[in-house]
Amino acid sequence: MEFLEVCGLRRSIRIFDRKKPVDRRRVQRILEVVRTATTCPGNLQPWRAIVIEQDKLSSADRKTLLAADNYQAAHAQAPVWIYWCADTDAARPEAFRARVHELIDVGAMPTFYGWTHETVDGSILRGEVAPEGMANIEQIIHGMPREVSAMIARQETVGACSVAVLAAVNEGLGTCLHSCAGVDKVEDVRRVLGIPESWDAVWVQLVGHPLEEIEAGGQRPRLPFERLFSEGRYGTPFPRDAKVVEELKKEGLIRAATPKPGRFEELMRIGRELGYPI
Amino acid sequence: MKDLRSYLTVSRWIDNVNRYYRLAESEWKGRLEVLRTFCDRAGKDPDAVIAAAVGEKGVKVDFMRMSKQIAKEMTADARAAHDWDGVIRSFFIHNGARVVVRPYDDD
């Protein structure tokens, strides 16, 4: 699928075909895309994932994980659940140091900008001011509190999730991100999944074949372009060129908005078939 | 009990469902029969049922059990019983009473 079409078809799918399994190859392909394409400061890659095929769970564990997500219907239906976790240890200063050394050694960070093992060690280990041309890593990373590491790990994992949902769409699958657990159920999820102490469960990505049509009723309402994007300074909207919009319609990014004709008939049909109360 | 449609909770239910799904009048007729059977068994009118259900969780749970029980008595067909119970759950949902919903095969 073309990239813009993938982006244009990205939806939070909320009705999955419970009986249609997901080919394991496709799951691996999603994970490979995340591993390859996700960006992260210092190349930390603090995202981790635990893949669950719900049919392989014990009844008790399935119930526990579903209860943690308030038994949301889409969660109960999707055959595959990918629990995306943030490894806070992977965003500690020593991890930054190791990863950045590696980037320098493979030629990803030019030494002519000042990136050397010595400058990196000076900034991260001793808080020496980074030379202009480099990131001011002494301010961010030297003596970084664990809470900040956790925040970085979590925010970068959210970024990985954005890549993961596009990768799933590219595989022709339906997908949706859910909260892993309510506040009072976090420990239940940790126990069932065996999540290490230093990891935080961030999102669970539901993956399956949509039972609703692939457009799921059409593109969701979006805030006005000009309200989201400024140019120069806040308050000056980035002008939206109608010609570009037309191009993107042709290329499959901008599609019919929800509700497309027949959406509620589709929902009613599916609801009746599955036995939900209309 | 007076005409069910004259109760606030019933008109709200019909309006809410029809806002999205526009059910045929013949279907509403059947649904109202289901609701009447339920209300008769509960010994309350629809507004009183909802008032009691949103007021206390235990009452709501009892209503849901009763709905399932009546559904089983009404039909031997498991799917039809599930759908009968679904009508009552729909009535509760559209009146702000939070109830569990499950698809037929996960019931």
Side-chain angles (χ1 to χ4, degrees):
Chain A
M1 213 184 284
E2 292 294 326
F3 177 71
L4 290 177
E5 197 180 6
V6 169
C7 295
L9 284 171
R10 209 284 307 155
R11 304 278 184 281
S12 288
I13 292 295
R14 295 190 170 87
I15 313 173
F16 291 93
D17 188 339
R18 173 80 178 83
K19 296 187 177 88
K20 191 168 177 184
V22 175
D23 181 353
R24 286 182 63 84
R25 280 181 61 255
R26 291 178 192 270
V27 176
Q28 181 182 343
R29 286 166 63 95
I30 294 168
L31 301 174
E32 298 274 6
V33 169
V34 170
R35 177 172 177 264
T36 304
T38 309
T39 181
C40 183
N43 200 27
L44 291 173
Q45 306 161 70
W47 45 80
R48 306 288 182 262
I50 299 173
V51 177
I52 301 288
E53 289 178 59
Q54 68 156 309
D55 283 347
K56 292 184 179 171
L57 286 172
S58 70
S59 173
D61 285 350
R62 177 178 182 266
K63 260 191 169 175
T64 301
L65 294 177
L66 287 176
D69 188 25
N70 203 31
Y71 290 100
Q72 285 206 64
H75 199 153
Q77 294 162 2
V80 172
W81 307 338
I82 305 177
Y83 282 83
W84 289 101
C85 302
D87 181 357
T88 59
D89 278 351
R92 298 296 295 145
E94 55 272 22
F96 264 101
R97 178 172 173 254
R99 294 268 76 82
V100 174
H101 278 198
E102 186 177 56
L103 287 177
I104 293 167
D105 291 344
V106 297
M109 303 190 85
T111 54
F112 52 74
Y113 286 167
W115 292 101
T116 65
H117 286 216
E118 291 71 26
T119 51
V120 166
D121 287 357
S123 295
I124 292 180
L125 300 178
R126 297 184 293 279
E128 293 167 7
V129 176
E132 285 186 15
M134 280 176 62
N136 50 0
I137 53 178
E138 82 285 355
Q139 292 182 26
I140 306 164
I141 303 169
H142 175 65
M144 184 165 65
R146 186 162 271 282
E147 310 86 77
V148 177
S149 297
M151 184 193 72
I152 291 171
R154 279 195 290 266
Q155 72 190 25
E156 298 310 317
T157 301
V158 172
C161 289
S162 292
V163 175
V165 294
L166 292 177
V169 174
N170 188 53
E171 293 300 320
L173 296 166
T175 192
C176 187
L177 295 174
H178 277 207
S179 162
C180 294
V183 181
D184 58 337
K185 302 269 188 339
V186 171
E187 288 309 314
D188 294 346
V189 172
R190 298 184 73 91
R191 179 178 51 74
V192 169
L193 299 181
I195 292 176
E197 191 65 30
S198 67
W199 293 17
D200 284 341
V202 178
W203 289 108
V204 53
Q205 180 185 10
L206 311 179
V207 180
H209 294 274
L211 203 57
E212 50 191 333
E213 57 108 20
I214 193 91
E215 293 261 10
Q219 283 187 328
R220 303 334 192 200
R222 290 294 188 226
L223 294 171
F225 184 90
E226 294 80 1
R227 185 166 149 200
L228 296 173
F229 309 117
S230 298
E231 182 168 20
R233 57 184 285 122
Y234 168 75
T236 307
F238 186 99
R240 194 179 195 204
D241 185 337
K243 280 187 197 156
V244 175
V245 172
E246 285 310 308
E247 278 170 25
L248 294 172
K249 283 182 182 171
K250 285 187 189 133
E251 292 175 62
L253 176 73
I254 300 175
R255 309 172 81 90
T258 193
K260 285 168 64 183
R263 172 58 172 170
F264 288 103
E265 287 79 357
E266 179 192 28
L267 286 175
M268 185 160 71
R269 177 183 55 75
I270 295 172
R272 286 189 198 281
E273 278 172 17
L274 296 179
Y276 283 106
I278 300 295
Chain B
M1 208 180 305
K2 51 188 183 177
D3 176 12
L4 284 185
R5 290 173 195 262
S6 67
Y7 290 96
L8 181 66
T9 52
V10 176
S11 63
R12 184 187 294 141
W13 180 37
I14 294 171
D15 289 348
N16 279 355
V17 172
N18 277 350
R19 182 178 170 198
Y20 304 109
Y21 303 117
R22 290 189 213 94
L23 302 187
E25 186 51 36
S26 56
E27 182 166 356
W28 278 116
K29 219 172 152 189
R31 289 178 150 230
L32 292 174
E33 277 307 308
V34 169
L35 181 61
R36 181 176 292 282
T37 302
F38 178 83
C39 288
D40 285 347
R41 184 73 71 89
K44 293 180 189 300
D45 68 45
D47 290 359
V49 164
I50 292 300
V54 298
E56 200 183 324
K57 190 179 174 188
V59 173
K60 182 182 68 187
V61 171
D62 287 345
F63 279 148
M64 290 302 100
R65 283 200 191 111
M66 192 174 84
S67 171
K68 271 188 185 285
Q69 181 57 40
I70 303 171
K72 273 185 200 161
E73 291 167 15
M74 298 296 290
T75 171
D77 180 79
R79 177 61 203 248
H82 178 88
D83 291 344
W84 196 99
D85 176 56
V87 172
I88 299 302
R89 280 169 203 269
S90 170
F91 173 66
F92 275 64
I93 288 168
H94 286 284
N95 279 290
R98 287 169 287 185
V99 297
V100 174
V101 293
R102 297 235 195 280
Y104 171 61
D105 60 4
D106 204 18
D107 208 2

